[in-house]
Amino acid sequence: MNIMRNRLGGARPKGLRKTSVHRKNLQIATFEGIPSTIFQVLLQGQFLTGFLLYLGASSSQIGFVIALTTLVNVAQIGVAFLIQKLPSRKWAMVTFIGLHRLLWGSTGLVPFIFPKEHWVTAFIVLYTIAFIANTAGGVLWSSVISDLVPARVRGRYFGIRNTFLNALGSLVMYGGGLVLDRYPGGHGFLILYIVVWIFSISNVIVFFFYPDVPFEKSEEKDFLPMLKKPLHDTLFMKSTLFLSAWLLLQNLTVPLYSYVMLQLLHINYETLSLLNVSQTIFMMASFYIWGNLNAKYSNKRLLLWTLPIIAVSSLLWGLLSVLPMLLVLFAAHIVFGMGVGGFNQLAFNFIIGDTPKKERPMYMAMYAALTGLAAFFGPLIGGRIYEWIHEWPHWTQVYGMQLIVGALMLALALLLGRRILKD
């Protein structure tokens, strides 16, 4: 009778309600990604580089702007401690994410408000403040989403979410490229920013519907003991420092690919969009492959497998000396998409799956701070190098850097990666 009662009147309806709440929360998180993807795609990558070139930025200034988003990640360590004091993560998250969207979208007003000689400086100031706010918002979102998505469906959910949003991003990227080719200069960027403003506001509105999920706080109450938790985790620190060194090398060239193609190879925005779309398509396809492999192998082992793929994508640029340009560029972008898709997905799984739940915000912050510093200096140094070799033979600027960096990445993966990223 108790069994029958549980089936008919007690346990099952309660279970259904719980499942329904989880499903609703996941739907909100997925829907929130739609406007977020649209406005972010139109404000970064090739569009960010193109807008900075329109404002009159040099290669080193472009490298600095690209690097800023990772430098401010250092502040995540302080944020990870402060969120332990919050009664609610939701409204702090909405506030900081809203500031980020508002300020980043405001960079489109620079040509209308400031004299031309101050365009680049004004852009950098607004951009910097926006991503300082995003540092806090990012920690809060990562903390909330790791609690929002049940561990048993985490891999499948993020695989589906990433595939869907990257497909959307590909369409937006191609559409943005067509707009800039049809309406070159300020007119085209004004159209893009109108779209950006619409979807950035929509994105903030959707965040109001996020649930305020319970927060398991750290057992430590003071900053230093909390900071020491990840620092004393030897396996975590070795892996994080290695991945930081890897990102330093990778970011010497990858963030500046758009600069090389727009400024040195004189590729139009439509072709550049197609290259990036091909990269995204193969990145989406790789999510399924890496996800299935992740059911058999650990995050760290699979991370190691992604590294030679990324290194080879950089070495492929050297084929520009003997093969048609577009053939080589498509091949390099496709291989990079397959490698970086796995890298990003597995690095995220490593942080939220292989770390203690109560200490996860500080672990996330430590990872973001160390890899952020490396990713900051990468584009900065890379942009400066492109200025130094400006008078060198053309091939050194187009693919010479990629050959050197690709060889160094391959050596790093084979010599150190095999020892550090082991089970």
Side-chain angles (χ1 to χ4, degrees):
M1 290 299 292
N2 287 336
I3 294 174
M4 290 297 294
R5 192 159 43 244
N6 285 339
R7 285 180 177 174
L8 296 175
R12 190 170 179 177
K14 183 179 179 182
L16 287 173
R17 285 197 297 273
K18 185 176 181 181
T19 302
S20 176
V21 170
H22 279 313
R23 185 178 292 113
K24 179 182 178 181
N25 291 343
L26 296 183
Q27 288 172 348
I28 293 171
T30 302
F31 185 71
E32 174 270 316
I34 295 174
S36 176
T37 296
I38 293 172
F39 89 83
Q40 288 193 63
V41 165
L42 295 177
L43 285 178
Q44 60 190 10
Q46 66 193 54
F47 303 111
L48 173 61
T49 301
F51 189 57
L52 286 168
L53 288 172
Y54 167 72
L55 296 180
S58 65
S59 62
S60 62
Q61 288 174 321
I62 292 172
F64 178 72
V65 169
I66 293 171
L68 272 175
T69 58
T70 54
L71 175 64
V72 295
N73 283 342
V74 176
Q76 288 194 15
I77 292 176
V79 176
F81 171 71
L82 293 174
I83 66 172
Q84 304 290 330
K85 312 297 182 183
L86 292 174
S88 165
R89 288 177 294 177
K90 174 182 175 177
W91 297 113
M93 178 182 71
V94 172
T95 300
F96 284 108
I97 287 177
L99 282 172
H100 168 251
R101 304 321 193 226
L102 175 65
L103 291 166
W104 197 7
S106 296
T107 57
L109 300 174
V110 166
F112 299 99
I113 297 175
F114 300 95
K116 190 170 185 178
E117 62 269 21
H118 298 309
W119 282 1
V120 176
T121 302
F123 179 95
I124 290 174
V125 170
L126 284 171
Y127 191 82
T128 302
I129 299 172
F131 277 89
I132 290 173
N134 188 58
T135 297
V139 173
L140 289 159
W141 183 84
S142 297
S143 174
V144 168
I145 200 72
S146 66
D147 290 340
L148 194 65
V149 182
R152 66 183 182 277
V153 299
R154 191 172 287 152
R156 183 167 176 241
Y157 170 74
F158 282 116
I160 295 172
R161 184 180 190 269
N162 290 342
T163 300
F164 169 66
L165 294 180
N166 277 282
L168 174 63
S170 297
L171 294 174
V172 174
M173 188 183 300
Y174 182 67
L178 290 178
V179 169
L180 290 183
D181 278 337
R182 179 166 294 186
Y183 303 100
H187 191 183
F189 284 113
L190 176 60
I191 295 172
L192 294 190
Y193 266 98
I194 290 173
V195 177
V196 163
W197 292 326
I198 292 170
F199 284 99
S200 61
I201 293 171
S202 303
N203 185 226
V204 175
I205 292 172
V206 177
F207 271 108
F208 279 83
F209 295 93
Y210 258 70
D212 200 359
V213 291
F215 183 24
E216 288 190 35
K217 298 184 179 181
S218 171
E219 296 174 356
E220 304 292 345
K221 302 301 179 184
D222 297 324
F223 177 72
L224 286 179
M226 196 181 299
L227 180 65
K228 289 177 181 178
K229 289 281 188 178
L231 289 176
H232 288 170
D233 189 332
T234 305
L235 293 177
F236 170 78
M237 288 304 298
K238 281 185 177 179
S239 301
T240 299
L241 289 171
F242 172 77
L243 293 175
S244 298
W246 175 267
L247 289 171
L248 175 64
L249 279 175
Q250 178 181 299
N251 283 6
L252 287 174
T253 54
V254 173
L256 294 164
Y257 281 176
S258 294
Y259 169 78
V260 172
M261 290 184 285
L262 287 171
Q263 196 76 349
L264 302 178
L265 295 178
H266 307 292
I267 291 175
N268 60 34
Y269 283 101
E270 182 179 359
T271 303
L272 185 56
S273 295
L274 286 172
L275 287 167
N276 286 322
V277 167
S278 69
Q279 175 180 306
T280 304
I281 290 172
F282 278 84
M283 183 169 66
M284 289 188 300
S286 77
F287 289 151
Y288 178 77
I289 298 171
W290 293 114
N292 284 340
L293 289 172
N294 206 188
K296 299 179 181 179
Y297 304 103
S298 69
N299 292 316
K300 290 170 69 174
R301 177 180 291 191
L302 292 177
L303 265 175
L304 175 62
W305 293 359
T306 68
L307 305 185
I309 299 173
I310 296 172
V312 167
S313 74
S314 186
L315 292 171
L316 284 174
W317 280 71
L319 294 177
L320 286 171
S321 59
V322 293
L323 294 178
M325 178 180 69
L326 287 180
L327 176 64
V328 173
L329 293 180
F330 271 106
H333 278 73
I334 287 170
V335 174
F336 181 72
M338 294 170 64
V340 82
F343 182 92
N344 291 339
Q345 183 168 320
L346 292 161
F348 186 73
N349 289 347
F350 166 61
I351 296 301
I352 68 171
D354 296 1
T355 55
K357 184 175 181 180
K358 290 184 178 181
E359 310 300 332
R360 193 168 292 154
M362 187 57 76
Y363 271 81
M364 287 179 171
M366 183 61 67
Y367 177 85
L370 292 175
T371 56
L373 277 175
F376 167 74
F377 285 108
L380 199 61
I381 295 170
R384 182 64 66 180
I385 291 173
Y386 274 109
E387 285 193 349
W388 290 341
I389 65 175
H390 180 68
E391 302 298 331
W392 290 22
H394 191 251
W395 70 269
T396 62
Q397 302 172 59
V398 173
Y399 60 82
M401 277 275 290
Q402 286 87 321
L403 284 176
I404 294 171
V405 170
L408 290 173
M409 286 196 294
L410 193 59
L412 184 65
L414 297 178
L415 297 177
L416 281 180
R418 293 171 62 187
R419 292 168 53 191
I420 294 174
L421 295 178
K422 61 182 180 180
D423 297 334

